[in-house]
Amino acid sequence: MAAAEHDIAPPHAPAERDPAFGVYIHWPFCRSKCPYCDFNSHVRHGGVDQPRFVRAFTAEIAATAARTADRTVSTIFFGGGTPSLMEPATVAAVLDAVAKHWRVADDVEVTLEANPTSVEAERFAGYRAGGVNRVSLGVQALDDAALSALGRTHTAREALDAVGIARRIFERYSFDLIYARPGQTPAAWRAELKKAISESAEHLSLYQLTIEPETPFASLRAAGKLAVPDADDARVLFDITREVCAAAGLPAYEISNHARPGAECRHNLVYWRYREYAGIGPGAHGRLDIDGTHRATATEKRPEAWLARVESQGHGLVTDEPLSRVEVADEFLLMGLRLTEGIDLERFSTLAGVPLAFEKIADLARHDLIETTAAGRLRVTPAGFPILDAIVADLAA
Ligand SMILES: C[S@@+](CC[C@H](N)C(=O)[O-])C[C@H]1O[C@@H](n2cnc3c(N)ncnc32)[C@H](O)[C@@H]1O
Ligand code: SF4
């Protein structure tokens, strides 16, 4: 790519600005820490002062909205951590603060991630009354032995009961499963997935188990005590996932996400389509067009340090930097090529300041790793998805 490293990227041109604007709220606490997880999540046995967090979230929302005043919020996402440990009153107060400081679209999508324990499921009605209209449940497996091996504290029965409650209370719900687990066979995954689809309405997130550095799973694997499927076996499971979901009317719209057409998670599409979003709470990231620049923001990760920062300076930002054209172009590729719809090449040219190199596209296409759609968009083929990072690195180089 010919764009200069320090050439600062301009904001989206008004004519191509998508009205989508997402607000991400991070709740950084869990009941226990799962051995595979490297999310910003912490266990606090002494409890959490939720009214204090409400005050801090409200302050950070006000400070962020002051810099992005003309936006209309189209999606809000409570992620974690375990947001279903938030009191319904806490969630409602945060939503009130969003509505006080920004315009909110009439059809706003408000998602909350939940762990499927019965205690938390009982809160669903309270979340709905407070304004949440979609839940995403961390089911992870429909097999008790696998749940226990993943360090989860719920059973498959409890998970399905929570899915049933979600179905009764919310028009829209999704759940997550993790596959390519130790010892998982293709036949077992196919059966588990079919069972999951019979319980799901419109959306399923199906993640391949990743062994993240510095997690207990990474230590176990290094000690030879955890054998996960190799790349070839994982590829077989990935292909089964796409095939079974497509046959059931839930085609993949992103590497790990499957939905009935029209039922995609609009909030996550904001990230993958490289639109603007605000990150609120400990360790939240944002991408905002401000002061003629496309900016990357990030807040302090440690919950108590974030609280202290917000209480002293009104926000928890530790990063607030303009991105260069090269950085913007790389991020656009990395996000957009996860999607089945692929990327708009003209938008790439606008963001990068130069078009994508034709020879690179032709070379990857010759190897059946990328293709151009009838609408002229560029997308990764099913054969390319398992090596997406390498494809992006090649295109971005
Ligand atoms: C922030 S977590 C979800 C919320 C909730 N705390 C839970 O665990 O149910 C988002 C999702 O990422 C997935 N996930 C987390 N760590 C993973 C890993 N190492 N490999 C694959 N999927 C992972 C899980 O499916 C999880 O539901
Ligand atoms: S997977 Fe979910 S519940 Fe487990 S530690 Fe991570 S965020 Fe918490």
Side-chain angles (χ1 to χ4, degrees):
M1 190 176 310
E5 188 79 38
H6 301 295
D7 193 359
I8 295 300
H12 297 312
E16 65 101 55
R17 179 180 277 171
D18 191 291
F21 180 74
V23 177
Y24 175 78
I25 317 277
H26 192 76
W27 185 254
F29 303 111
C30 291
R31 282 237 170 87
S32 57
K33 185 84 191 173
C34 305
Y36 53 84
C37 177
D38 78 341
F39 282 84
N40 183 28
S41 64
H42 309 263
V43 178
R44 294 287 182 268
H45 295 295
V48 172
D49 182 348
Q50 297 211 12
R52 189 174 169 202
F53 268 88
V54 167
R55 289 192 294 278
F57 281 132
T58 302
E60 193 161 68
I61 286 167
T64 311
R67 307 172 76 199
T68 51
D70 60 341
R71 315 302 197 274
T72 299
V73 175
S74 54
T75 64
I76 302 170
F77 195 100
F78 289 88
T82 304
S84 53
L85 292 175
M86 296 169 89
E87 299 292 342
T90 302
V91 171
V94 172
L95 291 175
D96 286 348
V98 170
K100 182 172 168 211
H101 293 284
W102 276 294
R103 270 191 312 279
V104 175
D106 291 342
D107 66 343
V108 64
E109 174 191 272
V110 185
T111 305
L112 181 133
E113 278 183 341
N115 278 28
T117 61
S118 50
V119 178
E120 288 147 33
E122 281 165 14
R123 298 171 176 221
F124 284 4
Y127 296 140
R128 161 107 203 223
V132 174
N133 55 29
R134 181 176 183 275
V135 285
S136 173
L137 281 155
V139 169
Q140 318 308 358
L142 291 175
D143 172 274
D144 285 345
L147 284 167
S148 160
L150 286 172
R152 301 295 293 195
T153 55
H154 63 265
T155 61
R157 183 68 263 153
E158 283 172 329
L160 293 179
D161 287 348
V163 170
I165 295 170
R167 185 182 300 125
R168 282 201 298 283
I169 294 179
F170 295 99
E171 237 166 79
R172 301 184 63 198
Y173 68 93
S174 172
F175 59 88
D176 301 352
L177 293 179
I178 295 180
Y179 70 96
R181 305 186 303 250
Q184 191 175 36
T185 64
W189 173 231
R190 188 181 283 277
E192 187 175 357
L193 186 51
K194 286 188 174 168
K195 166 89 177 139
I197 288 170
S198 74
E199 294 284 342
S200 70
E202 57 166 33
H203 192 285
L204 271 180
S205 300
L206 305 166
Y207 299 109
Q208 198 164 313
L209 177 63
T210 310
I211 305 299
E212 303 288 356
E214 289 168 43
T215 57
F217 266 24
S219 313
L220 283 173
R221 190 173 63 173
K225 293 179 182 160
L226 185 79
V228 289
D230 65 17
D232 289 344
D233 290 344
R235 174 68 204 270
V236 170
L237 297 169
F238 177 78
D239 289 345
I240 289 174
T241 307
R242 293 178 77 88
E243 173 212 316
V244 172
C245 287
L250 297 171
Y253 66 97
E254 189 263 354
I255 304 182
S256 308
N257 284 277
H258 306 74
R260 227 178 353 88
E264 297 85 3
C265 173
R266 284 167 44 210
H267 184 82
N268 285 338
L269 284 176
V270 168
Y271 304 145
W272 297 319
R273 288 180 176 161
Y274 207 55
R275 300 300 178 182
E276 273 188 296
Y277 57 95
I280 307 292
H285 293 246
R287 289 289 179 277
L288 299 171
D289 291 340
I290 302 175
D291 302 335
T293 56
H294 191 71
R295 302 183 83 80
T297 67
T299 52
E300 163 63 48
K301 277 181 81 171
R302 295 164 300 159
E304 290 74 18
W306 173 80
L307 275 176
R309 222 172 233 276
V310 178
E311 286 166 358
S312 66
Q313 65 182 33
H315 61 78
L317 287 177
V318 289
T319 303
D320 181 12
E321 289 165 357
L323 293 172
S324 70
R325 277 191 182 276
V326 169
E327 288 166 328
V328 165
D330 288 357
E331 288 192 347
F332 176 68
L333 287 177
L334 201 57
M335 292 288 123
L337 289 176
R338 301 172 65 98
L339 289 168
T340 304
E341 69 183 23
I343 58 161
D344 176 358
L345 287 169
E346 270 183 36
R347 185 156 172 240
F348 177 89
S349 303
T350 308
L351 292 172
V354 286
L356 255 185
F358 174 75
E359 319 78 66
K360 285 190 184 168
I361 296 179
D363 191 41
L364 289 164
R366 250 195 312 281
H367 290 90
D368 187 32
L369 296 171
I370 60 173
E371 62 191 6
T372 312
T373 67
R377 298 174 70 90
L378 186 74
R379 72 176 178 198
V380 172
T381 63
F385 274 124
I387 55 160
L388 176 63
D389 288 352
I391 292 174
V392 170
D394 198 17
L395 285 171

